[in-house]
Amino acid sequence: MVHGYKGVKFQNWARTYGCCPEMYYQPTSVEELREVLALARQQNKRVKVVGGGHSPSDIACTDGFMIHMGKMNRVLKVDTEKKQVTVEAGILLADLHPQLDKHGLALSNSGPVSDVTAGGVIGSGTHNTGIKHGILATQVVALTLLTADGTVLQCSEASNADVFQAVRVHLGCLGVILTVTLQCVPQFHLQETSFPSTLREVLDNLDSHLKKSEYFRFLWFPHSENVSVIYQDHTNKPPSSAASWFWDYAIGFYLLEFLLWISTFLPGLVGWINRFFFWLLFTGKRESCNLSHQIFTYECRFKQHVQDWAIPREKTKEALLELKAMLEAHPKVVAHYPVEVRFARGDNILLSPCFQRDSCYVNIIMYRPYGKDVPRLDYWLAYETIMKKVGGRPHWAKAHNCTRKDFEKMYPAFPKFCAIREKLDPTGMFLNAYLEKVFY
């Protein structure tokens, strides 16, 4: 018998969204999962599967049954010949990386946060950067899915191919992901080099930056021309680090949080803070080398609100210059640093923000110093307007104001995904308030 808990309060990592599910389950096996789904069918309850809880939106919230996959977190099989690993969907990437290290393997690309589950990162369309690399879900070669009626589907290019095309970015609405098989590569080291530039220089020479570095991204400091360019590339150099507690924490976190808190009373300070911290922390060249996953992962120290949209790669310059012009024209609208700009290869996953096009992700942020919300509505709306205008698609895990009408325009395969969802979950067992806005 699977044991459920009452009175559990769920909160996402940033503490921006929370809910009180009626029952909270931590199954350890497929049999226990089936029991929970049978109970939900009997009592006509909705079910939400939750991973690491890092999504900065209400995509994981429910007032029905919540299933936490943390106890289904084993590595099931490592095929060193094919360089593939099969894992239970509840494994955290933070636990998977050291396991892959042992076998001399690595993920070819991985996001900046590693306290996230294999089932969750693919479901929300998590990405990193690198125009030759797709979103993380493109590394999935097979998976198993438990559907609302208790059936287990084996999905890959070879079996249930139409479901496979949908389920790699599943939004949590097609069933419960049980296992994931990932295509890996031989273990590798990366060198990260960051150096200062200007927005104009980077946008004028975007193609050459993309050619020069395999994992290229840049940080723009709003209310200025300042940019920090970050290259990450394969290296044979021994591990070395440019990290320092004083600069990274005392200055880059504690002082910054204090000044951002003061700026909630004096919003005019934000532009000065962005320029001051660029001068303080980003004007020198920095280098560090390590195992790939150590370089990909960095710590999110701040609780924050974020938006992250994928736009056609060729619209990068237009969109960023328009965002800059909007901030210049409206001095009362303030924007925290950085605006993080990353790139990803196009794919054929039905609801991937990179569906059939190489994309640029533009991530904006507003920190919550000491948990205090900073007014962001004007910035948010102006950003969304620009993103929609250039054909953007929002990151599924992050907060956005889009509805079904928008998604029908954005995604050529939206009707196909809806048909698959309705077939696999005819009663809407896996829906919640977030998903109702998407599908109704």
Side-chain angles (χ1 to χ4, degrees), residues 46-117:
R46 285 188 164 179
V47 175
K48 197 88 281 322
V49 180
V50 62
H54 264 270
S55 296
S57 68
D58 56 346
I59 191 168
C61 291
T62 185
D63 52 8
F65 291 177
M66 182 172 275
I67 296 174
H68 185 274
M69 295 293 282
K71 289 186 174 165
M72 295 181 72
N73 64 349
R74 293 170 305 157
V75 174
L76 299 173
K77 184 183 174 197
V78 178
D79 184 331
T80 44
E81 215 159 273
K82 286 185 176 169
K83 301 185 182 60
Q84 292 177 354
V85 60
T86 302
V87 296
E88 288 184 309
I91 195 168
L92 294 175
L93 294 193
D95 297 328
L96 175 59
H97 292 312
Q99 296 279 349
L100 291 177
D101 285 342
K102 281 183 204 164
H103 295 278
L105 296 173
L107 297 176
S108 60
N109 206 352
S110 183
V113 178
S114 60
D115 291 330
V116 288
T117 61

Side-chain angles (χ1 to χ4, degrees), residues 144-412:
T144 55
L145 175 73
L146 178 66
T147 62
D149 67 2
T151 310
V152 173
L153 293 182
Q154 310 285 339
C155 305
S156 67
E157 296 283 3
S159 81
N160 294 307
D162 55 337
V163 176
F164 185 62
Q165 210 191 354
V167 76
R168 281 186 291 168
V169 175
H170 56 75
L171 312 188
C173 71
L174 301 179
V176 184
I177 306 291
L178 300 174
T179 69
V180 181
T181 302
L182 295 156
Q183 182 61 54
C184 302
V185 295
Q187 187 184 58
F188 63 103
H189 285 70
L190 285 174
Q191 172 173 322
E192 175 174 292
T193 309
S194 59
F195 56 91
S197 186
T198 64
L199 188 62
R200 176 61 68 181
E201 184 282 321
V202 172
L203 294 177
D204 285 350
N205 301 295
L206 199 55
D207 286 348
S208 92
H209 283 291
L210 284 163
K211 278 195 191 87
K212 233 178 244 174
S213 175
E214 186 175 350
Y215 304 94
F216 156 67
R217 64 190 164 104
F218 68 91
L219 312 176
W220 169 50
F221 290 63
H223 310 294
S224 80
E225 262 291 315
N226 299 329
V227 159
S228 174
V229 173
I230 300 160
Y231 284 175
Q232 294 172 343
D233 291 285
H234 285 244
T235 186
N236 296 320
K237 290 183 188 174
S240 65
S241 169
S244 117
W245 182 88
F246 176 73
W247 290 107
D248 296 349
Y249 273 90
I251 304 296
F253 177 59
Y254 295 112
L255 177 62
L256 178 58
E257 184 164 37
F258 176 65
L259 291 175
L260 288 174
W261 180 76
I262 289 178
S263 78
T264 61
F265 308 99
L266 298 163
L269 271 184
V270 170
W272 175 83
I273 290 170
N274 291 1
R275 291 186 293 273
F276 176 60
F277 274 83
F278 179 80
W279 173 77
L280 212 52
L281 298 176
F282 295 90
T283 40
K285 186 175 174 182
R286 284 174 72 149
E287 274 187 19
S288 52
C289 302
N290 213 324
L291 277 171
S292 56
H293 63 86
Q294 304 275 19
I295 295 284
F296 288 142
T297 306
Y298 53 86
E299 194 185 351
C300 289
R301 300 183 190 119
F302 279 100
K303 304 301 184 201
Q304 53 195 240
H305 287 284
V306 288
Q307 283 222 68
D308 191 17
W309 285 50
I311 60 176
R313 194 196 98 175
E314 56 280 6
K315 298 284 189 184
T316 306
K317 183 173 180 175
E318 179 189 330
L320 283 165
L321 291 179
E322 194 161 335
L323 193 60
K324 184 169 185 273
M326 181 280 296
L327 289 171
E328 283 163 3
H330 303 90
K332 282 206 165 78
V333 178
V334 300
H336 291 167
Y337 86 80
V339 171
E340 185 178 17
V341 183
R342 290 173 285 180
F343 300 88
R345 195 188 69 216
D347 59 52
N348 65 351
I349 302 168
L350 302 185
L351 290 192
S352 161
C354 302
F355 182 70
Q356 292 183 346
R357 66 183 195 200
D358 290 353
S359 300
C360 163
Y361 278 91
V362 179
N363 185 88
I364 62 168
I365 195 160
M366 287 300 269
Y367 296 118
R368 303 175 60 228
Y370 310 124
K372 183 176 180 183
D373 272 331
V374 180
R376 64 180 193 281
L377 210 59
D378 295 338
Y379 182 27
W380 250 226
L381 289 173
Y383 165 86
E384 281 203 356
T385 304
I386 295 166
M387 293 296 114
K388 278 182 180 169
K389 193 176 122 189
V390 296
R393 298 166 178 158
H395 189 314
W396 291 110
K398 300 182 183 180
H400 58 77
N401 294 310
C402 301
T403 60
R404 177 167 180 144
K405 264 201 189 85
D406 298 307
F407 294 124
E408 285 173 337
K409 281 192 207 111
M410 293 170 184
Y411 286 98

